[in-house]
Structure formats: structure tokens, C-alpha cells
Amino acid sequence: MTIIIISLLLLASLLPHLTFTAHVNVGIVNGREAKPHSRPYMVSLQVNRQHICGGFLISDEFVLTAAHCRNGYEIRVVVGAHDLRYSQSSDVIRVKSYIPHPDYKPSPIQNDIMLLRLEKKVELNNKVRLISLPKKGEGVKAGTLCSVAGWGAMTIGPQSYRLMEANTTTINQACCQRRWGSSFLASQMICAYGSGGSCRGDSGGPLVCGNTAVGVTSFGSRHLCNSPEHPNVYTKISAYLQWFNEQMTC
């Protein structure tokens, strides 16, 4: 019993949070199980074999995720997974270096984006692949149908062992600004809402429009997963392409 209590306390300490009207570390609600390995770019970030965040492969050596997923603990990256209960030890890779954006701020959250440099390059195959990023200056129009995926909670409850996905639609910046006020920064954020969407347990996963990752899951409503009043917010990837290139060519 003591071991269980200690494990629960450790897991609770890993869940990042904000002290104002939003909460981070979100996952999938009202979604459906993804076809196994249909999103081979998805990775699970884990501490002590516990899933804490999502992420996605943008090269054979780098994972993109949210900066708030780094909480001082050593993260392992699980690649090629669908049901996390059946992950093999060969799927688990250590992180060589954590590279959060230098201007990341946790409260109010800003520049919530981070690169993870893996200790070894992944072997690309049918279960492990990269996802493309937008071009410089390329935006996403309001009303675009996109999708999110992750191993987070489907409701306010346990996380899912199997990868879940849901459709969501981007919202215009003016509307996002009205809903979130000063917490929403149009230059570095996108927001979206749909019949399904983000909840808790899978920040860091991608907002995918077409076959391109345009955002990184960042934060949402404290009180209601996938809230129409406070739609989920994603870090806008196109605003950080120069930074990516600088870090990945060092």
C-alpha cells in the first residue's frame, strides 16, 4: 500500500499546472481508438514507465513536444506504440538533451514548445515515421478540420492505454482572443474546438491538419475538457521554424 501511495504522489507531482484559468497536460475526450500505427509519428513521453505527455517525431533524432512536459525528471520516449501495455524495451529511447524554447514561461504560459534530442537515432519503418511541418509563414485558416491524438484521459478519469484520436476545427483568432483574453497570443498560438478534443494527460501531441503538424497541444479549460467557452490552445509551429533549424543543426 505504501508503494502505491508513493507512486500516486509521484505521478501527481509530474502533472504540470497553471495557477490561473487554464490547465495544461491535456489529452483526448469523445474520441475513437486510432487504427494501430496509423499515426507512426506519435510518441509517448514517460517517467518511471508512466505516460505523462505526448510528442511527435520531426526527424530521426528529434521529438517535438510542449515545454511544460519537462518537470525535472528523466523522460523516456516510447516510439512505435499503439497499446502502451505492450511496448517493447527496444521501443524505449533515452533523451540526450532537453531543449525548451528560451522564452518559455509557465504562467501565463508562453512559447510552450520543446525539442527532445534522442540518445540514438530511431529506425524508420511502418510503425515509426516522421510528420511534416508547415512552411515558414504558412498559417491555418479558421474553420479547417484537423485532428488530435494521444494516450490521455477520454473523460475526467483514467488515461487510455491505446492511442485515441478526435477531429477538431480551428477557430478564428479574434474569437480565441475573446474567449481567453490576455492568455491567448495570436502570434504564437492556435485554438480549436470540435465534438471531440483535448482533455488531460497528453499535452505535447500534435494538432494535425491534412498531413502536417501545425500545433503542439498546450492548454485548455481548468473546469471542462474540450470546453466551447475556452477552446483548446496549441502552440503555433510555424512561428518557431527558424528556432528549430538553429537547434537541429548544432
Side-chain angles (χ1 to χ4, degrees):
M1 178 63 71
T2 302
I3 294 174
I4 293 174
I5 293 173
I6 291 172
S7 297
L8 290 172
L9 289 173
L10 173 61
L11 182 58
S13 72
L14 295 174
L15 298 180
H17 64 278
L18 296 181
T19 57
F20 58 114
T21 58
H23 80 85
V24 292
N25 208 44
V26 293
I28 305 302
V29 66
N30 294 334
R32 59 192 177 273
E33 182 178 350
K35 180 180 177 181
H37 310 297
S38 61
R39 296 175 182 265
Y41 48 82
M42 290 292 301
V43 305
S44 168
L45 306 189
Q46 300 188 359
V47 174
N48 294 332
R49 299 183 181 179
Q50 295 288 334
H51 172 84
I52 62 164
C53 274
F56 48 105
L57 287 164
I58 61 171
S59 84
D60 60 1
E61 193 177 7
F62 283 91
V63 165
L64 190 57
T65 187
H68 75 256
C69 292
R70 174 63 170 155
N71 204 358
Y73 295 91
E74 187 174 357
I75 293 173
R76 298 286 194 275
V77 173
V78 180
V79 302
H82 175 69
D83 190 324
L84 295 178
R85 292 172 294 186
Y86 304 119
S87 298
Q88 304 296 314
S89 59
S90 58
D91 299 330
V92 182
I93 304 175
R94 292 175 180 268
V95 175
K96 181 177 181 180
S97 55
Y98 303 86
I99 314 171
H101 193 275
D103 296 324
Y104 164 65
K105 295 180 181 179
S107 182
I109 199 161
Q110 295 180 25
N111 301 297
D112 188 19
I113 198 163
M114 175 171 63
L115 287 166
L116 302 178
R117 188 169 199 157
L118 303 178
E119 193 172 73
K120 64 178 182 178
K121 293 184 178 182
V122 299
E123 181 179 343
L124 302 179
N125 52 50
N126 290 338
K127 296 181 180 179
V128 181
R129 290 186 180 177
L130 314 181
I131 188 169
S132 61
L133 300 182
K135 297 177 181 178
K136 184 177 181 180
E138 187 175 34
V140 181
K141 294 181 179 179
T144 301
L145 181 64
C146 304
S147 65
V148 288
W151 289 274
M154 295 174 282
T155 58
I156 298 299
Q159 294 181 348
S160 173
Y161 288 112
R162 291 170 293 182
L163 184 66
M164 304 294 289
E165 62 185 8
N167 292 334
T168 190
T169 302
T170 56
I171 300 173
N172 71 69
Q173 294 180 344
C175 182
C176 292
Q177 193 77 64
R178 288 196 298 272
R179 300 294 176 84
W180 280 107
S182 60
S183 298
F184 180 79
L185 301 176
S187 63
Q188 59 178 256
M189 298 176 184
I190 303 168
C191 69
Y193 173 75
S195 57
S198 298
C199 186
R200 63 175 182 82
D202 229 357
S203 291
L207 174 66
V208 179
C209 303
N211 296 314
T212 302
V214 301
V216 178
T217 308
S218 182
F219 66 87
S221 170
R222 177 188 294 276
H223 304 292
L224 178 66
C225 295
N226 196 39
S227 167
E229 296 302 319
H230 289 95
N232 293 105
V233 179
Y234 305 84
T235 305
K236 185 188 297 184
I237 290 175
S238 62
Y240 298 90
L241 294 177
Q242 182 176 342
W243 178 69
F244 294 164
N245 292 331
E246 291 171 355
Q247 302 305 315
M248 293 171 68
T249 55
C250 290

PDB file of all heavy atoms in Angstrom, residues 132-168:
ATOM      1  N   SER A 132       5.405  15.855 -41.305  1.00  0.00           N
ATOM      2  CA  SER A 132       5.887  17.098 -41.903  1.00  0.00           C
ATOM      3  C   SER A 132       5.442  18.297 -41.085  1.00  0.00           C
ATOM      4  O   SER A 132       4.440  18.252 -40.361  1.00  0.00           O
ATOM      5  CB  SER A 132       5.400  17.229 -43.343  1.00  0.00           C
ATOM      6  OG  SER A 132       3.983  17.252 -43.379  1.00  0.00           O
ATOM      7  N   LEU A 133       6.194  19.383 -41.213  1.00  0.00           N
ATOM      8  CA  LEU A 133       5.900  20.636 -40.540  1.00  0.00           C
ATOM      9  C   LEU A 133       5.483  21.681 -41.577  1.00  0.00           C
ATOM     10  O   LEU A 133       5.802  21.550 -42.756  1.00  0.00           O
ATOM     11  CB  LEU A 133       7.131  21.129 -39.770  1.00  0.00           C
ATOM     12  CG  LEU A 133       7.669  20.198 -38.684  1.00  0.00           C
ATOM     13  CD1 LEU A 133       8.863  20.844 -37.988  1.00  0.00           C
ATOM     14  CD2 LEU A 133       6.601  19.836 -37.671  1.00  0.00           C
ATOM     15  N   PRO A 134       4.789  22.739 -41.151  1.00  0.00           N
ATOM     16  CA  PRO A 134       4.396  23.779 -42.106  1.00  0.00           C
ATOM     17  C   PRO A 134       5.608  24.553 -42.615  1.00  0.00           C
ATOM     18  O   PRO A 134       6.685  24.512 -42.022  1.00  0.00           O
ATOM     19  CB  PRO A 134       3.474  24.674 -41.282  1.00  0.00           C
ATOM     20  CG  PRO A 134       3.895  24.453 -39.869  1.00  0.00           C
ATOM     21  CD  PRO A 134       4.318  23.018 -39.787  1.00  0.00           C
ATOM     22  N   LYS A 135       5.426  25.239 -43.721  1.00  0.00           N
ATOM     23  CA  LYS A 135       6.476  26.105 -44.246  1.00  0.00           C
ATOM     24  C   LYS A 135       6.467  27.435 -43.504  1.00  0.00           C
ATOM     25  O   LYS A 135       5.484  27.792 -42.850  1.00  0.00           O
ATOM     26  CB  LYS A 135       6.267  26.335 -45.742  1.00  0.00           C
ATOM     27  CG  LYS A 135       6.352  25.062 -46.573  1.00  0.00           C
ATOM     28  CD  LYS A 135       6.056  25.337 -48.039  1.00  0.00           C
ATOM     29  CE  LYS A 135       6.110  24.056 -48.853  1.00  0.00           C
ATOM     30  NZ  LYS A 135       5.776  24.294 -50.286  1.00  0.00           N
ATOM     31  N   LYS A 136       7.550  28.170 -43.608  1.00  0.00           N
ATOM     32  CA  LYS A 136       7.665  29.454 -42.939  1.00  0.00           C
ATOM     33  C   LYS A 136       6.540  30.392 -43.381  1.00  0.00           C
ATOM     34  O   LYS A 136       6.294  30.554 -44.578  1.00  0.00           O
ATOM     35  CB  LYS A 136       9.021  30.091 -43.252  1.00  0.00           C
ATOM     36  CG  LYS A 136       9.275  31.395 -42.514  1.00  0.00           C
ATOM     37  CD  LYS A 136      10.667  31.933 -42.806  1.00  0.00           C
ATOM     38  CE  LYS A 136      10.913  33.226 -42.050  1.00  0.00           C
ATOM     39  NZ  LYS A 136      12.279  33.765 -42.319  1.00  0.00           N
ATOM     40  N   GLY A 137       5.850  30.963 -42.415  1.00  0.00           N
ATOM     41  CA  GLY A 137       4.773  31.905 -42.707  1.00  0.00           C
ATOM     42  C   GLY A 137       3.463  31.250 -43.087  1.00  0.00           C
ATOM     43  O   GLY A 137       2.465  31.931 -43.318  1.00  0.00           O
ATOM     44  N   GLU A 138       3.446  29.918 -43.153  1.00  0.00           N
ATOM     45  CA  GLU A 138       2.233  29.206 -43.547  1.00  0.00           C
ATOM     46  C   GLU A 138       1.267  29.132 -42.364  1.00  0.00           C
ATOM     47  O   GLU A 138       1.614  28.620 -41.299  1.00  0.00           O
ATOM     48  CB  GLU A 138       2.585  27.804 -44.030  1.00  0.00           C
ATOM     49  CG  GLU A 138       1.422  27.040 -44.622  1.00  0.00           C
ATOM     50  CD  GLU A 138       1.864  25.700 -45.188  1.00  0.00           C
ATOM     51  OE1 GLU A 138       2.787  25.081 -44.635  1.00  0.00           O
ATOM     52  OE2 GLU A 138       1.295  25.286 -46.216  1.00  0.00           O
ATOM     53  N   GLY A 139       0.059  29.644 -42.545  1.00  0.00           N
ATOM     54  CA  GLY A 139      -0.927  29.641 -41.483  1.00  0.00           C
ATOM     55  C   GLY A 139      -2.020  28.625 -41.725  1.00  0.00           C
ATOM     56  O   GLY A 139      -2.044  27.929 -42.739  1.00  0.00           O
ATOM     57  N   VAL A 140      -2.941  28.540 -40.769  1.00  0.00           N
ATOM     58  CA  VAL A 140      -4.092  27.649 -40.880  1.00  0.00           C
ATOM     59  C   VAL A 140      -5.343  28.514 -40.828  1.00  0.00           C
ATOM     60  O   VAL A 140      -5.537  29.280 -39.885  1.00  0.00           O
ATOM     61  CB  VAL A 140      -4.116  26.625 -39.732  1.00  0.00           C
ATOM     62  CG1 VAL A 140      -5.314  25.686 -39.883  1.00  0.00           C
ATOM     63  CG2 VAL A 140      -2.827  25.829 -39.682  1.00  0.00           C
ATOM     64  N   LYS A 141      -6.202  28.409 -41.825  1.00  0.00           N
ATOM     65  CA  LYS A 141      -7.421  29.210 -41.867  1.00  0.00           C
ATOM     66  C   LYS A 141      -8.412  28.736 -40.813  1.00  0.00           C
ATOM     67  O   LYS A 141      -8.476  27.551 -40.481  1.00  0.00           O
ATOM     68  CB  LYS A 141      -8.063  29.120 -43.248  1.00  0.00           C
ATOM     69  CG  LYS A 141      -7.232  29.744 -44.361  1.00  0.00           C
ATOM     70  CD  LYS A 141      -7.956  29.627 -45.697  1.00  0.00           C
ATOM     71  CE  LYS A 141      -7.147  30.259 -46.824  1.00  0.00           C
ATOM     72  NZ  LYS A 141      -7.845  30.132 -48.132  1.00  0.00           N
ATOM     73  N   ALA A 142      -9.192  29.686 -40.291  1.00  0.00           N
ATOM     74  CA  ALA A 142     -10.275  29.333 -39.379  1.00  0.00           C
ATOM     75  C   ALA A 142     -11.261  28.427 -40.102  1.00  0.00           C
ATOM     76  O   ALA A 142     -11.508  28.583 -41.298  1.00  0.00           O
ATOM     77  CB  ALA A 142     -10.981  30.597 -38.892  1.00  0.00           C
ATOM     78  N   GLY A 143     -11.791  27.449 -39.369  1.00  0.00           N
ATOM     79  CA  GLY A 143     -12.739  26.519 -39.966  1.00  0.00           C
ATOM     80  C   GLY A 143     -12.095  25.309 -40.612  1.00  0.00           C
ATOM     81  O   GLY A 143     -12.782  24.509 -41.243  1.00  0.00           O
ATOM     82  N   THR A 144     -10.782  25.152 -40.449  1.00  0.00           N
ATOM     83  CA  THR A 144     -10.088  23.992 -41.012  1.00  0.00           C
ATOM     84  C   THR A 144     -10.308  22.770 -40.125  1.00  0.00           C
ATOM     85  O   THR A 144     -10.110  22.833 -38.912  1.00  0.00           O
ATOM     86  CB  THR A 144      -8.579  24.272 -41.141  1.00  0.00           C
ATOM     87  OG1 THR A 144      -8.376  25.404 -41.990  1.00  0.00           O
ATOM     88  CG2 THR A 144      -7.848  23.068 -41.716  1.00  0.00           C
ATOM     89  N   LEU A 145     -10.710  21.664 -40.734  1.00  0.00           N
ATOM     90  CA  LEU A 145     -10.888  20.423 -39.987  1.00  0.00           C
ATOM     91  C   LEU A 145      -9.528  19.783 -39.755  1.00  0.00           C
ATOM     92  O   LEU A 145      -8.799  19.493 -40.701  1.00  0.00           O
ATOM     93  CB  LEU A 145     -11.802  19.460 -40.747  1.00  0.00           C
ATOM     94  CG  LEU A 145     -12.088  18.125 -40.053  1.00  0.00           C
ATOM     95  CD1 LEU A 145     -12.858  18.343 -38.763  1.00  0.00           C
ATOM     96  CD2 LEU A 145     -12.847  17.187 -40.981  1.00  0.00           C
ATOM     97  N   CYS A 146      -9.202  19.553 -38.488  1.00  0.00           N
ATOM     98  CA  CYS A 146      -7.921  18.978 -38.112  1.00  0.00           C
ATOM     99  C   CYS A 146      -8.166  17.813 -37.159  1.00  0.00           C
ATOM    100  O   CYS A 146      -9.313  17.404 -36.969  1.00  0.00           O
ATOM    101  CB  CYS A 146      -7.041  20.040 -37.451  1.00  0.00           C
ATOM    102  SG  CYS A 146      -6.766  21.524 -38.469  1.00  0.00           S
ATOM    103  N   SER A 147      -7.125  17.283 -36.566  1.00  0.00           N
ATOM    104  CA  SER A 147      -7.289  16.185 -35.622  1.00  0.00           C
ATOM    105  C   SER A 147      -6.217  16.251 -34.542  1.00  0.00           C
ATOM    106  O   SER A 147      -5.156  16.850 -34.721  1.00  0.00           O
ATOM    107  CB  SER A 147      -7.226  14.833 -36.341  1.00  0.00           C
ATOM    108  OG  SER A 147      -5.940  14.620 -36.898  1.00  0.00           O
ATOM    109  N   VAL A 148      -6.541  15.616 -33.414  1.00  0.00           N
ATOM    110  CA  VAL A 148      -5.595  15.466 -32.308  1.00  0.00           C
ATOM    111  C   VAL A 148      -5.581  13.997 -31.907  1.00  0.00           C
ATOM    112  O   VAL A 148      -6.525  13.256 -32.173  1.00  0.00           O
ATOM    113  CB  VAL A 148      -5.973  16.349 -31.103  1.00  0.00           C
ATOM    114  CG1 VAL A 148      -5.722  17.808 -31.399  1.00  0.00           C
ATOM    115  CG2 VAL A 148      -7.438  16.126 -30.704  1.00  0.00           C
ATOM    116  N   ALA A 149      -4.504  13.576 -31.257  1.00  0.00           N
ATOM    117  CA  ALA A 149      -4.391  12.188 -30.832  1.00  0.00           C
ATOM    118  C   ALA A 149      -3.541  12.110 -29.577  1.00  0.00           C
ATOM    119  O   ALA A 149      -2.719  12.992 -29.309  1.00  0.00           O
ATOM    120  CB  ALA A 149      -3.777  11.324 -31.942  1.00  0.00           C
ATOM    121  N   GLY A 150      -3.762  11.034 -28.800  1.00  0.00           N
ATOM    122  CA  GLY A 150      -2.952  10.857 -27.612  1.00  0.00           C
ATOM    123  C   GLY A 150      -3.429   9.716 -26.737  1.00  0.00           C
ATOM    124  O   GLY A 150      -4.440   9.075 -27.010  1.00  0.00           O
ATOM    125  N   TRP A 151      -2.682   9.491 -25.661  1.00  0.00           N
ATOM    126  CA  TRP A 151      -2.990   8.441 -24.698  1.00  0.00           C
ATOM    127  C   TRP A 151      -3.561   9.024 -23.404  1.00  0.00           C
ATOM    128  O   TRP A 151      -3.517   8.394 -22.360  1.00  0.00           O
ATOM    129  CB  TRP A 151      -1.734   7.637 -24.381  1.00  0.00           C
ATOM    130  CG  TRP A 151      -1.261   6.757 -25.496  1.00  0.00           C
ATOM    131  CD1 TRP A 151      -1.672   5.484 -25.760  1.00  0.00           C
ATOM    132  CD2 TRP A 151      -0.261   7.057 -26.490  1.00  0.00           C
ATOM    133  NE1 TRP A 151      -1.008   4.981 -26.853  1.00  0.00           N
ATOM    134  CE2 TRP A 151      -0.127   5.920 -27.320  1.00  0.00           C
ATOM    135  CE3 TRP A 151       0.533   8.182 -26.757  1.00  0.00           C
ATOM    136  CZ2 TRP A 151       0.758   5.863 -28.388  1.00  0.00           C
ATOM    137  CZ3 TRP A 151       1.406   8.137 -27.819  1.00  0.00           C
ATOM    138  CH2 TRP A 151       1.528   6.999 -28.634  1.00  0.00           C
ATOM    139  N   GLY A 152      -4.106  10.234 -23.485  1.00  0.00           N
ATOM    140  CA  GLY A 152      -4.637  10.872 -22.292  1.00  0.00           C
ATOM    141  C   GLY A 152      -6.022  10.379 -21.940  1.00  0.00           C
ATOM    142  O   GLY A 152      -6.541   9.414 -22.508  1.00  0.00           O
ATOM    143  N   ALA A 153      -6.646  11.065 -20.970  1.00  0.00           N
ATOM    144  CA  ALA A 153      -7.963  10.662 -20.480  1.00  0.00           C
ATOM    145  C   ALA A 153      -9.030  10.918 -21.540  1.00  0.00           C
ATOM    146  O   ALA A 153      -9.007  11.919 -22.236  1.00  0.00           O
ATOM    147  CB  ALA A 153      -8.301  11.429 -19.208  1.00  0.00           C
ATOM    148  N   MET A 154      -9.988   9.991 -21.629  1.00  0.00           N
ATOM    149  CA  MET A 154     -11.117  10.155 -22.546  1.00  0.00           C
ATOM    150  C   MET A 154     -12.235  10.955 -21.894  1.00  0.00           C
ATOM    151  O   MET A 154     -13.093  11.507 -22.551  1.00  0.00           O
ATOM    152  CB  MET A 154     -11.622   8.782 -22.998  1.00  0.00           C
ATOM    153  CG  MET A 154     -10.584   8.037 -23.833  1.00  0.00           C
ATOM    154  SD  MET A 154     -11.078   6.351 -24.232  1.00  0.00           S
ATOM    155  CE  MET A 154     -10.736   5.536 -22.669  1.00  0.00           C
ATOM    156  N   THR A 155     -12.246  10.967 -20.578  1.00  0.00           N
ATOM    157  CA  THR A 155     -13.140  11.798 -19.761  1.00  0.00           C
ATOM    158  C   THR A 155     -12.330  12.181 -18.541  1.00  0.00           C
ATOM    159  O   THR A 155     -11.132  11.927 -18.478  1.00  0.00           O
ATOM    160  CB  THR A 155     -14.398  11.011 -19.323  1.00  0.00           C
ATOM    161  OG1 THR A 155     -13.977   9.860 -18.593  1.00  0.00           O
ATOM    162  CG2 THR A 155     -15.242  10.592 -20.519  1.00  0.00           C
ATOM    163  N   ILE A 156     -12.972  12.776 -17.536  1.00  0.00           N
ATOM    164  CA  ILE A 156     -12.262  13.001 -16.280  1.00  0.00           C
ATOM    165  C   ILE A 156     -12.129  11.648 -15.594  1.00  0.00           C
ATOM    166  O   ILE A 156     -13.013  11.173 -14.880  1.00  0.00           O
ATOM    167  CB  ILE A 156     -13.023  14.001 -15.387  1.00  0.00           C
ATOM    168  CG1 ILE A 156     -13.132  15.341 -16.088  1.00  0.00           C
ATOM    169  CG2 ILE A 156     -12.298  14.177 -14.059  1.00  0.00           C
ATOM    170  CD1 ILE A 156     -11.806  15.990 -16.409  1.00  0.00           C
ATOM    171  N   GLY A 157     -11.052  10.961 -15.854  1.00  0.00           N
ATOM    172  CA  GLY A 157     -10.863   9.616 -15.336  1.00  0.00           C
ATOM    173  C   GLY A 157      -9.516   9.081 -15.761  1.00  0.00           C
ATOM    174  O   GLY A 157      -8.601   9.847 -16.067  1.00  0.00           O
ATOM    175  N   PRO A 158      -9.364   7.749 -15.801  1.00  0.00           N
ATOM    176  CA  PRO A 158      -8.073   7.146 -16.138  1.00  0.00           C
ATOM    177  C   PRO A 158      -7.637   7.479 -17.560  1.00  0.00           C
ATOM    178  O   PRO A 158      -8.458   7.746 -18.437  1.00  0.00           O
ATOM    179  CB  PRO A 158      -8.347   5.634 -15.987  1.00  0.00           C
ATOM    180  CG  PRO A 158      -9.574   5.534 -15.157  1.00  0.00           C
ATOM    181  CD  PRO A 158     -10.384   6.748 -15.475  1.00  0.00           C
ATOM    182  N   GLN A 159      -6.337   7.424 -17.784  1.00  0.00           N
ATOM    183  CA  GLN A 159      -5.813   7.603 -19.120  1.00  0.00           C
ATOM    184  C   GLN A 159      -6.054   6.340 -19.937  1.00  0.00           C
ATOM    185  O   GLN A 159      -6.342   5.270 -19.411  1.00  0.00           O
ATOM    186  CB  GLN A 159      -4.315   7.918 -19.049  1.00  0.00           C
ATOM    187  CG  GLN A 159      -4.011   9.250 -18.387  1.00  0.00           C
ATOM    188  CD  GLN A 159      -2.525   9.537 -18.345  1.00  0.00           C
ATOM    189  OE1 GLN A 159      -1.705   8.672 -18.613  1.00  0.00           O
ATOM    190  NE2 GLN A 159      -2.180  10.756 -18.004  1.00  0.00           N
ATOM    191  N   SER A 160      -5.917   6.460 -21.253  1.00  0.00           N
ATOM    192  CA  SER A 160      -6.112   5.328 -22.160  1.00  0.00           C
ATOM    193  C   SER A 160      -4.780   4.656 -22.446  1.00  0.00           C
ATOM    194  O   SER A 160      -3.775   5.327 -22.683  1.00  0.00           O
ATOM    195  CB  SER A 160      -6.736   5.819 -23.471  1.00  0.00           C
ATOM    196  OG  SER A 160      -6.775   4.779 -24.420  1.00  0.00           O
ATOM    197  N   TYR A 161      -4.757   3.335 -22.423  1.00  0.00           N
ATOM    198  CA  TYR A 161      -3.552   2.611 -22.821  1.00  0.00           C
ATOM    199  C   TYR A 161      -3.369   2.655 -24.333  1.00  0.00           C
ATOM    200  O   TYR A 161      -2.255   2.589 -24.836  1.00  0.00           O
ATOM    201  CB  TYR A 161      -3.629   1.146 -22.374  1.00  0.00           C
ATOM    202  CG  TYR A 161      -3.478   0.948 -20.889  1.00  0.00           C
ATOM    203  CD1 TYR A 161      -4.550   0.508 -20.120  1.00  0.00           C
ATOM    204  CD2 TYR A 161      -2.264   1.185 -20.255  1.00  0.00           C
ATOM    205  CE1 TYR A 161      -4.417   0.305 -18.752  1.00  0.00           C
ATOM    206  CE2 TYR A 161      -2.119   0.991 -18.892  1.00  0.00           C
ATOM    207  CZ  TYR A 161      -3.196   0.551 -18.144  1.00  0.00           C
ATOM    208  OH  TYR A 161      -3.066   0.374 -16.795  1.00  0.00           O
ATOM    209  N   ARG A 162      -4.489   2.744 -25.062  1.00  0.00           N
ATOM    210  CA  ARG A 162      -4.449   2.711 -26.520  1.00  0.00           C
ATOM    211  C   ARG A 162      -4.553   4.122 -27.095  1.00  0.00           C
ATOM    212  O   ARG A 162      -5.212   4.976 -26.515  1.00  0.00           O
ATOM    213  CB  ARG A 162      -5.576   1.832 -27.049  1.00  0.00           C
ATOM    214  CG  ARG A 162      -5.372   0.364 -26.738  1.00  0.00           C
ATOM    215  CD  ARG A 162      -6.593  -0.465 -27.042  1.00  0.00           C
ATOM    216  NE  ARG A 162      -7.704  -0.132 -26.145  1.00  0.00           N
ATOM    217  CZ  ARG A 162      -8.882  -0.741 -26.165  1.00  0.00           C
ATOM    218  NH1 ARG A 162      -9.117  -1.688 -27.038  1.00  0.00           N
ATOM    219  NH2 ARG A 162      -9.826  -0.395 -25.319  1.00  0.00           N
ATOM    220  N   LEU A 163      -3.905   4.344 -28.207  1.00  0.00           N
ATOM    221  CA  LEU A 163      -3.909   5.668 -28.828  1.00  0.00           C
ATOM    222  C   LEU A 163      -5.316   6.024 -29.291  1.00  0.00           C
ATOM    223  O   LEU A 163      -5.953   5.263 -30.023  1.00  0.00           O
ATOM    224  CB  LEU A 163      -2.937   5.696 -30.009  1.00  0.00           C
ATOM    225  CG  LEU A 163      -2.777   7.061 -30.693  1.00  0.00           C
ATOM    226  CD1 LEU A 163      -2.111   8.067 -29.755  1.00  0.00           C
ATOM    227  CD2 LEU A 163      -1.940   6.927 -31.970  1.00  0.00           C
ATOM    228  N   MET A 164      -5.791   7.198 -28.869  1.00  0.00           N
ATOM    229  CA  MET A 164      -7.105   7.686 -29.252  1.00  0.00           C
ATOM    230  C   MET A 164      -6.927   8.904 -30.161  1.00  0.00           C
ATOM    231  O   MET A 164      -5.890   9.581 -30.141  1.00  0.00           O
ATOM    232  CB  MET A 164      -7.908   8.071 -28.017  1.00  0.00           C
ATOM    233  CG  MET A 164      -8.058   6.955 -26.995  1.00  0.00           C
ATOM    234  SD  MET A 164      -9.030   5.557 -27.597  1.00  0.00           S
ATOM    235  CE  MET A 164     -10.669   6.305 -27.637  1.00  0.00           C
ATOM    236  N   GLU A 165      -7.965   9.223 -30.943  1.00  0.00           N
ATOM    237  CA  GLU A 165      -7.911  10.373 -31.830  1.00  0.00           C
ATOM    238  C   GLU A 165      -9.287  11.025 -31.907  1.00  0.00           C
ATOM    239  O   GLU A 165     -10.305  10.401 -31.588  1.00  0.00           O
ATOM    240  CB  GLU A 165      -7.459   9.950 -33.233  1.00  0.00           C
ATOM    241  CG  GLU A 165      -8.401   8.967 -33.910  1.00  0.00           C
ATOM    242  CD  GLU A 165      -7.883   8.464 -35.259  1.00  0.00           C
ATOM    243  OE1 GLU A 165      -6.723   8.763 -35.596  1.00  0.00           O
ATOM    244  OE2 GLU A 165      -8.650   7.782 -35.952  1.00  0.00           O
ATOM    245  N   ALA A 166      -9.323  12.283 -32.301  1.00  0.00           N
ATOM    246  CA  ALA A 166     -10.589  13.002 -32.452  1.00  0.00           C
ATOM    247  C   ALA A 166     -10.398  14.131 -33.441  1.00  0.00           C
ATOM    248  O   ALA A 166      -9.295  14.676 -33.599  1.00  0.00           O
ATOM    249  CB  ALA A 166     -11.061  13.564 -31.112  1.00  0.00           C
ATOM    250  N   ASN A 167     -11.482  14.498 -34.123  1.00  0.00           N
ATOM    251  CA  ASN A 167     -11.459  15.642 -35.023  1.00  0.00           C
ATOM    252  C   ASN A 167     -11.757  16.922 -34.260  1.00  0.00           C
ATOM    253  O   ASN A 167     -12.500  16.924 -33.268  1.00  0.00           O
ATOM    254  CB  ASN A 167     -12.492  15.467 -36.132  1.00  0.00           C
ATOM    255  CG  ASN A 167     -12.135  14.349 -37.091  1.00  0.00           C
ATOM    256  OD1 ASN A 167     -10.959  14.018 -37.261  1.00  0.00           O
ATOM    257  ND2 ASN A 167     -13.137  13.746 -37.707  1.00  0.00           N
ATOM    258  N   THR A 168     -11.178  18.008 -34.720  1.00  0.00           N
ATOM    259  CA  THR A 168     -11.423  19.310 -34.126  1.00  0.00           C
ATOM    260  C   THR A 168     -11.263  20.368 -35.220  1.00  0.00           C
ATOM    261  O   THR A 168     -10.642  20.105 -36.249  1.00  0.00           O
ATOM    262  CB  THR A 168     -10.466  19.567 -32.943  1.00  0.00           C
ATOM    263  OG1 THR A 168     -10.868  20.739 -32.229  1.00  0.00           O
ATOM    264  CG2 THR A 168      -9.013  19.717 -33.411  1.00  0.00           C
TER     265      THR A 168
END
